[in-house]
Amino acid sequence: MSDHSHKELPFWRKYIFSVDHKVIGIQYAVTGLLFLFFGFCLVMLIRWQLAYPGQELPFIGSWFPETQMIGGIMLPEFYYQLGAMHGTIMVFLGVVPLAVGGFGNYVVPLQIGAPDMAFPKLNMMSYWLYFIGGVLMLASFFVPGGSAQSGWTSYPPLSVIAAGGQTWWLIGMAFLINSSLLGSVNFIVTIIQLRAPGLSFNRLPFYVWAQFVTALLLLLAFPPLMAAAVLQLMDRLAGTSFFIPTGLVVNDAITHFVGGGNPILWQHLFWFLAHPEVYVLILPAMGIVAEIIACNTRKPLYGYKALVYSVCFVGFMSFVVWAHHMFLTNMGTTMSTFFQITTMIISIPSIVILTSLILSLWGGSIRFNTPMLFAIAFLPMFAIGGLTGLPLGLAAADIHLHDTYYVIGHFHYVVAPGTIFALFAGVYHWFPKATGRKMSEFLGKLHFFPSLVLMNCIFTPMLIMGLAGALRRMYDPTQYAHAQAVQPLNVFISISAFCLALAQIPFIINFFYSIFWGKKVDDNPWQATTLEWATPTPPPHGNFLKAPEVYRGPYEYSVPGQKKDFWPQDMKGAN
Amino acid sequence: MSDHLSPEEVKKHVTIYVRVFMALAALTIITVAISYLHLPILAAVGVALLIASFKGSLVAAYFMHLAQEKKIILYPLILVFFFFIVLLIIPTLSRF
Amino acid sequence: MSDAAEIRFISKPHPITGVTNSKLGVWCFLASEVMLFGGLFSAYILLRIGATEWPHGSTILNVPLATLNTMILIVSSVTMVMSWASLALKNFSKYRFYMAITILLGIAFLVVKSFEYAHKFEHHHYPSTNNFYGIYFTLTGLHGLHVIGGIFLNLYLLLPGSKLWKTNPEQFMGRVEAAGLYWHFVDLVWIFLFPTLYLL
């Protein structure tokens, strides 16, 4: 129930414990951006160790306690903590909250013409559960033995016998899982129930479709990880042996577990979540790119229906491909063949989506503003990421490539220059709606071009290193004869990564500068058609001054016979 | 289940609830009784799961009103049922 | 302003989908719960198939007590649905009666369960004893947590939450129905847990 009274809410109700989807969206987005930045800092420490193993970390090396670095030289335990936490933070605390919690919360209710999410209080709870989960993850760095260090995948038995931080990791994940559960229920109900009159499912902006499928994935894929986390907590705290095989020997001593468990069980439950999670990372990004491409080419999306069917099919298929992460677990040939086939099948709708987006550029009068540059760059970057994934989906090739830098290069191409570029595009695109001011184009381009070049300088060499057999998660790569030939590439990657950090400075300056001093804009600065641009800027509590009605599809750009080149969804009659 | 029910309809529902309760109680006793027969393991699992599924469907269909529920609720549940089966069966097959 | 800022379909069903927000939401939540218990049952199957020996539940667990507990939960499901039906008949005092019985039955279930647990601990059977006890304590413990959650939910609807009946009876009925769906689901999980753990 919205309150009808117009009295001002106190500060803490308005900006901290707010139930307004826009405030919650901004809270999610800012927290997510901070975690992305923090996760990036962790990986820069890793990059130093990989490029210059055993050398003192300059400037800040002495700041770390003895349990992490001795004389500025990183300890192996700390290296593995950094690796595990980089993955966890980037995926669960950075990208997903920014893409789903941030943009989803802010944009979806606006695009469907709703006053708020269906359950505003659950929405607030979802954010605060995420916040607690994030704090627990960060706090785990300070517990005895340090944070989780068994990789972001937390494979047992290593994770079960690992130091205390793993327990914090599991509890933190439990909070994040419940947060995403509440969020996804909210999205599904909002999109099904609260669409404006006239906004049927085939008039829905593609971004809303992408968020809808994403919410379904989060709803159904996360619970098995919750189950797995409960079982692993039992293993760690109550001494059960769900994931511990009989006769496990650690450091030449038999462990106290009775055994009889199955480490592969964790992998099944984990990847049952984590493969759909990959699509949770990528689908909202595709949605953002589709919105921006349609708006800035001034023409409708090519093949809207094909896009929608593809996104639904991708969502469905993503539940039956998970074991392609597990070809090396003594899996039988029948199951291995099954998962290879489903993996090849799921690449088809992904290609359909990408092809539609590329064809949408054809014949358009493209405006090369900053959001559009990031959106266009997403296309080839995601294509490289997707295509390099195919060899990993085929068991024969995967035997060679499994757990090498090739895998790292592959999924970072999907997520870093792919999803994160799309998220940057979204920030530049919707910033004027949230603040009433545009971000600087000059600083935006200064952000974009170096980032694009450096991203490729980082991830292409990783593919080469992987083909050469360099393994991921190696504390000191110079110890291995076969990896020494590609060690210069490690140095090159690290220098590129440090430069990439510098290339983000224009974005940070731009972000804060534009909040206060950016160029003021009207309600619809990009001349877009979807409903979020029909609200006042920034939208008030309750969003729309008058409940909107929808008369046409979402991408009516350059319609012949119309005076203007865009025809908003809520405009009654001719333009 | 629409929220506008006439008193007669509600009373009809109540008799159904009582009948479903009796069926559930009887099935519980049957399933316990069968377990004392010590059937071979496959038969025991089959019978127990069959009875449990039947009881479960009774609860879902009548107490949870799924028998008269709207399509918007049934469709996602069919999807969930499919994924549930996948989650249950595929990990056990991974040796093949 | 007020018309545009109102969240619709809180108490009245959507004209096309035919359901209220809360009903759709609670079913989505239950769908997620199905997958949670699906993961745990999957773990049970995999552990049991991989085990060299697996005790027959009835030889070490107390089947009569568990049968009693099954009956308690089934009766509580009936009283839960009766409390909803009483609201449909506009009989508020009967609603309170049935709701109170439901809560008491939920507590009775937990008491019986705690006797079972105490008995196991007395004989030094802990989750770490073997994987049968491990999965037994995990599954029944998680189910017990769901029962506790349901009891608190029902207590809220019995005491402070029932004020809504005076101002918005339709919305209140929706809430009771949603709580009922959850409670029946907890019952449903037990219907599967009981034979799996105790009888096979």
Side-chain angles (χ1 to χ4, degrees):
Chain A
M1 278 289 226
S2 69
D3 51 350
H4 293 273
S5 56
H6 291 269
K7 67 170 190 283
E8 277 288 296
L9 291 165
F11 175 82
W12 61 279
R13 282 291 312 278
K14 204 170 168 188
Y15 295 109
I16 299 172
F17 294 103
S18 172
V19 292
D20 187 336
H21 73 99
K22 297 179 292 295
V23 179
I24 295 171
I26 290 169
Q27 285 175 328
Y28 257 119
V30 171
T31 323
L33 279 170
L34 284 174
F35 272 118
L36 278 182
F37 179 72
F38 182 69
F40 191 41
C41 291
L42 296 184
V43 86
M44 282 196 287
L45 294 174
I46 294 176
R47 285 318 315 178
W48 175 265
Q49 167 65 21
L50 287 173
Y52 312 105
Q55 288 185 36
E56 200 182 318
L57 182 68
F59 312 120
I60 58 169
S62 56
W63 296 0
F64 291 88
E66 294 248 307
T67 51
Q68 295 175 341
M69 290 192 188
I70 292 178
I73 297 166
M74 192 181 293
L75 292 173
E77 294 83 2
F78 187 52
Y79 175 81
Y80 289 113
Q81 289 173 29
L82 290 175
M85 295 312 283
H86 166 70
T88 308
I89 286 173
M90 284 303 202
V91 172
F92 296 110
L93 294 168
V95 174
V96 173
L98 180 55
V100 181
F103 287 116
N105 260 319
Y106 197 95
V107 177
V108 166
L110 292 175
Q111 278 195 336
I112 64 173
D116 205 317
M117 298 288 273
F119 308 110
K121 281 180 196 153
L122 281 191
N123 205 10
M124 176 180 83
M125 214 157 107
S126 164
Y127 172 76
W128 285 104
L129 284 176
Y130 155 66
F131 187 83
I132 295 170
V135 169
L136 285 176
M137 291 282 185
L138 291 183
S140 73
F141 275 105
F142 303 101
V143 302
S147 69
Q149 44 196 286
S150 315
W152 79 284
T153 52
S154 283
Y155 277 5
L158 198 56
S159 56
V160 174
I161 57 172
Q166 180 67 22
T167 306
W168 290 63
W169 188 90
L170 290 165
I171 296 172
M173 281 310 293
F175 275 97
L176 296 179
I177 291 168
N178 285 314
S179 154
S180 87
L181 165 66
L182 298 181
S184 56
V185 168
N186 222 337
F187 276 113
I188 292 171
V189 176
T190 307
I191 293 172
I192 290 180
Q193 297 274 91
L194 297 187
R195 280 169 291 123
L199 188 59
S200 59
F201 266 106
N202 42 26
R203 284 178 179 172
L204 222 48
F206 181 66
Y207 179 67
V208 180
W209 266 109
Q211 284 288 357
F212 183 61
V213 175
T214 304
L216 277 172
L217 297 186
L218 283 174
L219 183 76
L220 300 180
F222 250 126
L225 182 67
M226 184 72 189
V230 168
L231 294 177
Q232 199 179 95
L233 268 178
M234 288 294 284
D235 270 8
R236 291 181 58 86
L237 300 178
T240 55
S241 313
F242 296 130
F243 301 127
I244 304 290
T246 309
L248 178 70
V249 173
V250 179
N251 294 337
D252 294 331
I254 299 248
T255 49
H256 66 276
F257 297 99
V258 290
N262 188 348
I264 304 298
L265 170 62
W266 168 270
Q267 297 194 21
H268 276 299
L269 295 176
F270 180 83
W271 287 114
F272 190 89
L273 152 84
H275 200 82
E277 180 79 6
V278 172
Y279 291 92
V280 170
L281 297 172
I282 200 70
L283 293 181
M286 286 171 163
I288 293 172
V289 168
E291 294 298 306
I292 293 171
I293 283 183
C295 174
N296 287 314
T297 53
R298 316 304 295 163
K299 64 191 273 289
L301 279 183
Y302 182 91
Y304 170 81
K305 276 198 174 154
L307 280 167
V308 168
Y309 290 138
S310 299
V311 85
C312 294
F313 188 60
V314 164
F316 178 79
M317 286 303 288
S318 70
F319 281 96
V320 284
V321 296
W322 80 86
H324 65 213
H325 298 271
M326 300 166 57
F327 285 139
L328 267 69
T329 57
N330 196 20
M331 180 191 282
T333 46
T334 313
M335 287 323 279
S336 156
T337 309
F338 172 76
F339 280 107
Q340 289 176 63
I341 291 171
T342 53
T343 306
M344 293 305 120
I345 290 175
I346 201 173
S347 64
I348 295 168
S350 315
I351 293 289
V352 170
I353 294 174
L354 197 64
T355 311
S356 289
L357 292 177
I358 291 173
L359 285 176
S360 300
L361 300 174
W362 177 59
S365 52
I366 301 177
R367 297 188 301 209
F368 285 101
N369 47 29
T370 312
M372 187 59 175
L373 288 175
F374 274 104
I376 295 177
F378 167 88
L379 301 173
M381 293 298 106
F382 174 71
I384 294 172
L387 289 174
T388 52
L390 291 180
L392 296 171
L394 295 167
D398 186 53
I399 289 171
H400 177 69
L401 295 172
H402 187 84
D403 251 3
T404 63
Y405 258 91
Y406 184 87
V407 181
I408 308 276
H410 151 64
F411 72 72
H412 277 88
Y413 252 116
V414 175
V415 180
T419 299
I420 291 181
F421 270 18
L423 295 177
F424 277 135
V427 171
Y428 285 103
H429 185 66
W430 281 304
F431 191 88
K433 182 43 58 180
T435 62
R437 291 169 190 273
K438 241 182 197 175
M439 289 175 82
S440 152
E441 279 292 316
F442 171 74
L443 286 172
K445 281 169 183 149
L446 199 61
H447 174 210
F448 169 72
F449 286 106
S451 293
L452 178 64
V453 173
L454 289 165
M455 283 280 189
N456 285 289
C457 290
I458 293 171
F459 297 118
T460 315
M462 285 191 184
L463 298 172
I464 300 166
M465 286 172 63
L467 289 168
L471 293 174
R472 68 194 283 198
R473 294 184 180 140
M474 285 298 149
Y475 165 66
D476 184 350
T478 58
Q479 297 289 317
Y480 303 89
H482 69 281
Q484 269 164 9
V486 288
Q487 180 60 17
L489 286 178
N490 251 336
V491 179
F492 178 72
I493 294 172
S494 293
I495 293 169
S496 306
F498 302 141
C499 294
L500 182 65
L502 295 180
Q504 305 313 303
I505 291 173
F507 173 72
I508 297 168
I509 295 173
N510 198 353
F511 191 84
F512 289 106
Y513 174 83
S514 304
I515 290 176
F516 302 106
W517 300 288
K519 193 176 140 223
K520 276 199 174 172
V521 290
D522 61 357
D523 289 346
N524 190 358
W526 310 112
Q527 294 89 44
T529 53
T530 41
L531 284 180
E532 78 265 36
W533 306 103
T535 64
T537 303
H541 189 68
N543 296 343
F544 293 88
L545 299 178
K546 180 167 89 49
E549 254 186 84
V550 171
Y551 301 97
R552 60 191 63 81
Y555 304 114
E556 299 288 324
Y557 290 103
S558 307
V559 180
Q562 296 293 325
K563 263 189 235 124
K564 288 185 186 158
D565 71 341
F566 67 108
W567 198 3
Q569 280 189 287
D570 63 330
M571 181 179 275
K572 202 170 182 177
N575 201 333
Chain B
M1 200 63 193
S2 95
D3 292 8
H4 301 285
L5 290 169
S6 65
E8 292 77 41
E9 278 175 296
V10 176
K11 280 180 186 136
K12 227 183 271 169
H13 277 292
V14 169
T15 45
I16 292 175
Y17 298 148
V18 174
R19 279 186 203 154
V20 170
F21 163 68
M22 289 192 291
L24 289 174
L27 285 169
T28 307
I29 291 162
I30 290 173
T31 192
V32 174
I34 287 177
S35 80
Y36 284 104
L37 295 178
H38 295 289
L39 295 174
I41 182 71
L42 273 181
V45 171
V47 171
L49 281 187
L50 204 70
I51 295 178
S53 311
F54 188 62
K55 283 165 76 182
S57 346
L58 282 180
V59 171
Y62 295 105
F63 289 169
M64 298 168 95
H65 306 138
L66 266 191
Q68 302 146 314
E69 199 46 274
K70 301 284 179 296
K71 285 194 193 103
I72 191 77
I73 291 187
L74 294 179
Y75 288 150
L77 288 181
I78 293 168
L79 196 69
V80 173
F81 184 73
F82 174 75
F83 291 144
F84 177 77
I85 297 294
V86 167
L87 177 61
L88 227 48
I89 291 178
I90 286 190
T92 63
L93 297 178
S94 49
R95 279 154 200 264
F96 295 99
Chain C
M1 170 85 194
S2 63
D3 177 42
E6 187 98 30
I7 297 172
R8 290 166 298 156
F9 316 122
I10 287 178
S11 49
K12 293 242 191 305
H14 188 289
I16 295 168
T17 61
V19 292
T20 56
N21 294 347
S22 65
K23 186 188 262 187
L24 188 59
V26 83
W27 271 110
C28 287
F29 170 70
L30 292 183
S32 175
E33 290 275 68
V34 169
M35 296 308 280
L36 171 69
F37 283 98
L40 290 166
F41 274 108
S42 177
Y44 171 86
I45 297 172
L46 213 61
L47 288 171
R48 183 160 186 177
I49 288 178
T52 43
E53 53 180 324
W54 191 267
H56 194 277
S58 62
T59 55
I60 47 177
L61 298 177
N62 193 332
V63 176
L65 269 189
T67 313
L68 173 67
N69 249 351
T70 311
M71 288 300 186
I72 289 176
L73 269 196
I74 291 175
V75 177
S76 81
S77 252
V78 178
T79 55
M80 186 81 209
V81 81
M82 289 301 285
S83 75
W84 173 80
S86 310
L87 281 187
L89 291 169
K90 312 262 180 278
N91 191 336
F92 187 68
S93 56
K94 238 178 156 186
Y95 154 77
R96 295 193 93 152
F97 170 73
Y98 280 120
M99 195 53 135
I101 301 268
T102 310
I103 293 165
L104 289 177
L105 286 169
I107 292 169
F109 176 89
L110 290 176
V111 170
V112 173
K113 196 85 235 156
S114 63
F115 278 126
E116 268 190 80
Y117 274 20
H119 187 256
K120 293 285 163 299
F121 292 148
E122 264 169 40
H123 289 76
H124 301 288
H125 291 147
Y126 300 109
S128 54
T129 307
N130 58 36
N131 267 344
F132 174 80
Y133 279 115
I135 201 89
Y136 162 76
F137 279 111
T138 311
L139 280 171
T140 53
L142 206 63
H143 178 261
L145 284 180
H146 278 81
V147 173
I148 292 172
I151 289 173
F152 278 110
L153 185 63
N154 289 344
L155 271 176
Y156 172 76
L157 289 175
L158 177 69
L159 301 169
S162 66
K163 269 182 270 172
L164 190 64
W165 173 251
K166 296 217 174 63
T167 51
N168 192 345
E170 255 179 320
Q171 194 185 354
F172 184 64
M173 257 185 83
R175 284 187 181 179
V176 172
E177 193 183 4
L181 287 174
Y182 172 77
W183 191 255
H184 301 313
F185 177 79
V186 172
D187 182 20
L188 207 155
V189 170
W190 182 257
I191 284 175
F192 282 93
L193 276 184
F194 171 58
T196 323
L197 291 174
Y198 289 83
L199 302 180
L200 293 176

